[in-house]
Amino acid sequence: MTATIAPADGTPGPPPPARTGRAARLLRALYLAVGAGLAGVLLYVSFPPRVLWWLALPAFAALGLLLRGRGFKAGLGLGALFGLGFLLPLLVWTGVEVGPGPWLALAVAEAFFVALVGGFTALVTRLPGWPLWAAALWTAGEAARARVPFGGFPWGKVAFGQAEGIFLPLAAVGGTPVLGFAVALCGFGLGELARQLYLRRRTGALRRAATATAGAVAALLLPLAGALAARPLVSDRAENGTATVAVVQGNVPRMGLDFNAQRRAVLDYHARETARLAERVAKGEVAQPDFVLWPENSSDIDPFTNDDARSVIERAATTIKAPISVGAVVQPEDGRLYNQQILWDPDKGPVDTYDKRVIQPFGEYIPLRSLISVFSQGYVDMVRTDFSRGTDPGVFDLAGSRVGIATCYEAAFDGAVRETVDAGAQLLSVPSNNATFGFSEMTYQQLAMSRVRAVEHSRAVAVPVTSGVSAVIRPDGELVQRTGMFEPASLVAEVPLRSSQTWATRLGALPEAAIVALAAVGLGWAASGAVRRRRAAATDA
């Protein structure tokens, strides 16, 4: 034991060195932890409904600086805190009606992927040009959580926060992976440049680090230059004429999970709003639509087995004198349940259907039902019958226009939207139901996804939603019209029809695969360097 000897004047002496060192380490760890969490919050604030897309850059800059030179375990912890700071507020809407349990479980599960990215990023920060490897790792992490578990959950991709940003044209080059990679690379480059400038001011060592500084500048500027170069790829010019589309938002009697108990009222609301639209057309206030789009769950009463629901839809189609795409829950004779869009012709009735292919775990089906019921039988009982998946992309021929369907949750998945465009869609419809999420940010986050998809595939996108926000989006991502939340409304707009394919559509998943491969190269390089260092240390010993 080391004694502390006080000076002769009786004033306290310095604390024991060991205690001082321990306190400093704890303070530093606290500083790093708080910094990582706040950097994650900064990334969250860059997402809609706020128009602060540029905050993603300092968020990644801070993350990179916090991770630089750390070990894997430290990176894992800092990455987890960054992920929680980002995802806890971003996904709070998932607990609006079911309580904090599912929200916390989902946020923690998704933050696990961010933690792994943090751990691996800490390793590659020792490499030359580390912002490149770090950005590739971030994109690889997004690719992983978009696929596992239970089919993945792509919500919160960095690209979906960039609908208002200058990087958006890159979506037409390589989709959401390239767009997200560019944002992360620019952010990490900003952090490294700030570090180099700090070192120069403190030590005058910039000349010896000229290569690192040049790399940081390149990481900062190349994504910006790429975005500017990609702008000519974004066009809203009509290639196959135009179509006048009507989007109907009927609203719901009340928000919440008892939405399904209001099934007939919701159907009546959408029929009534369509009748109002017909009156506006008759008065010359708006143009006669070529077709009408209703949202997901606009008829949770199966019109194939319920004559009353069928007559309501038929009357609406006859009144508006145009085909309607109706969102319905149907159960054929085989007993399976489908989330379906039905093409309803005013003269011929139902002529085509599309069954939702990407269904939401814990919302439309319960994975591991017997296990989950042990922990939350009440939650499992909310989904008594699992929905079945469709198999083929949905493209309706609506008055000569090829309208591709990506129902709600599907809009978050790159492949689901791309396959619909590949199937011949000239414009896209994203029918959704967000009545169960109240006035949360969910609808704005989903609207931003649709704007990114518009640029990614150069297609106009219509977003009919039960309770808001419904919208019409041009192929360049511009919002033409939009509604408020929880109000009955209809939108009518002329939109361009397009059939050419962007690079992103043609390349498909290749850009993402290339970025994941780049991440693997960086990890391999970092691992080989660690092995060499261990061997050198063993030799010296």
Side-chain angles (χ1 to χ4, degrees):
M1 181 175 178
T2 302
T4 300
I5 302 175
D9 61 3
T11 58
R19 183 174 300 173
T20 302
R22 189 182 307 116
R25 287 194 299 271
L26 289 174
L27 188 62
R28 182 173 180 79
L30 180 62
Y31 159 76
L32 293 172
V34 172
L38 290 178
V41 173
L42 198 63
L43 182 58
Y44 155 70
V45 175
S46 74
F47 273 66
R50 294 157 296 277
V51 190
L52 298 171
W53 56 269
W54 51 271
L55 286 179
L57 302 183
F60 280 111
L63 177 64
L65 292 175
L66 290 168
L67 292 174
R68 195 181 188 284
R70 311 284 168 207
F72 178 77
K73 291 182 180 179
L76 201 69
L78 293 173
L81 292 170
F82 180 87
L84 290 172
F86 169 45
L87 293 164
L88 277 172
L90 185 81
L91 302 178
V92 69
W93 53 266
T94 60
V96 167
E97 292 294 334
V98 296
W103 159 52
L104 293 174
L106 177 61
V108 169
E110 295 300 300
F112 170 77
F113 291 93
V114 183
L116 289 176
V117 169
F120 291 131
T121 299
L123 301 181
V124 301
T125 57
R126 296 181 174 88
L127 300 177
W130 70 264
L132 176 69
W133 314 113
L137 280 167
W138 180 268
T139 303
E142 288 190 336
R145 66 186 185 89
R147 289 167 172 81
V148 293
F150 313 125
F153 188 74
W155 217 279
K157 275 189 168 185
V158 169
F160 295 146
Q162 297 295 310
E164 296 278 358
I166 60 175
F167 296 99
L168 181 60
L170 289 170
V173 177
T176 61
V178 167
L179 175 53
F181 172 77
V183 174
L185 177 59
C186 192
F188 285 132
L190 175 65
E192 175 61 10
L193 181 60
R195 192 183 76 88
Q196 292 295 331
L197 293 176
Y198 171 77
L199 290 176
R200 177 186 184 183
R201 182 175 181 180
R202 186 174 182 181
T203 66
L206 184 62
R207 183 173 299 175
R208 295 196 300 272
T211 302
T213 304
V217 171
L220 177 65
L221 296 182
L222 285 178
L224 294 169
L228 292 175
R231 291 184 69 179
L233 300 178
V234 180
S235 172
D236 64 354
R237 179 176 59 86
E239 296 175 333
N240 306 105
T242 62
T244 301
V245 55
V247 170
V248 170
Q249 176 176 298
N251 202 12
V252 297
R254 58 190 181 276
M255 68 186 78
L257 285 177
D258 60 348
F259 167 82
N260 286 336
Q262 314 167 56
R263 295 183 300 170
R264 177 53 197 265
V266 174
L267 172 58
D268 287 343
Y269 278 23
H270 284 82
R272 184 171 65 189
E273 189 57 36
T274 303
R276 289 174 179 167
L277 173 61
E279 292 175 0
R280 294 171 60 202
V281 171
K283 293 177 182 178
E285 296 176 356
V286 294
Q288 167 65 43
D290 296 318
F291 53 87
V292 179
L293 302 174
W294 282 9
E296 177 188 35
N297 299 132
S298 47
S299 177
D300 273 348
I301 303 174
D302 187 345
F304 295 111
T305 59
N306 187 291
D307 291 338
D308 191 39
R310 183 185 185 100
S311 65
V312 170
I313 297 171
E314 285 180 341
R315 187 163 56 250
T318 302
T319 301
I320 194 60
K321 300 177 183 178
I324 303 177
S325 178
V326 179
V329 174
V330 303
Q331 192 165 22
E333 294 180 357
D334 62 8
R336 295 184 178 182
L337 199 62
Y338 291 96
N339 186 336
Q340 192 173 89
Q341 284 286 312
I342 306 170
L343 171 52
W344 209 287
D345 186 88
D347 299 318
K348 302 175 183 178
V351 294
D352 201 357
T353 61
Y354 166 66
D355 298 323
K356 188 177 181 181
R357 293 176 295 148
V358 184
I359 57 177
Q360 183 181 351
F362 304 102
E364 292 173 304
Y365 79 101
I366 303 294
L368 308 175
R369 180 178 286 269
S370 59
L371 177 62
I372 299 297
S373 63
V374 174
F375 301 97
S376 181
Q377 183 62 51
Y379 182 69
V380 170
D381 288 343
M382 292 180 186
V383 186
R384 294 184 179 275
T385 304
D386 291 339
F387 279 81
S388 296
R389 292 177 173 84
T391 56
D392 300 317
V395 180
F396 287 167
D397 186 342
L398 282 162
S401 301
R402 300 278 291 169
V403 181
I405 311 295
T407 304
C408 195
Y409 189 57
E410 292 181 319
F413 291 82
D414 295 346
V417 181
R418 183 173 59 247
E419 289 164 6
T420 303
V421 176
D422 282 335
Q426 296 172 312
L427 64 92
L428 295 170
S429 173
V430 183
S432 303
N433 167 32
N434 50 33
T436 56
F437 303 116
F439 286 91
S440 71
E441 296 180 356
M442 179 269 186
T443 188
Y444 300 103
Q445 294 170 8
Q446 191 174 55
L447 179 61
M449 290 181 193
S450 295
R451 296 181 66 183
V452 172
R453 297 303 184 196
V455 174
E456 180 179 7
H457 299 292
S458 195
R459 296 292 187 272
V461 181
V463 186
V465 183
T466 52
S467 55
V469 174
S470 299
V472 179
I473 305 164
R474 295 185 69 84
D476 60 0
E478 179 188 354
L479 276 172
V480 179
Q481 296 182 42
R482 52 162 287 181
T483 69
M485 293 183 69
F486 289 96
E487 63 179 27
S490 59
L491 308 173
V492 179
E494 184 180 15
V495 296
L497 302 176
R498 294 177 59 85
S499 56
S500 63
Q501 293 191 342
T502 62
W503 288 8
T505 309
R506 292 194 295 267
L507 292 173
L510 287 178
E512 183 179 60
I515 295 172
V516 172
L518 186 65
V521 170
L523 277 180
W525 188 3
S528 65
V531 170
R532 287 196 300 270
R533 287 192 295 273
R534 283 196 296 268
R535 287 176 178 173
T539 301
D540 293 341

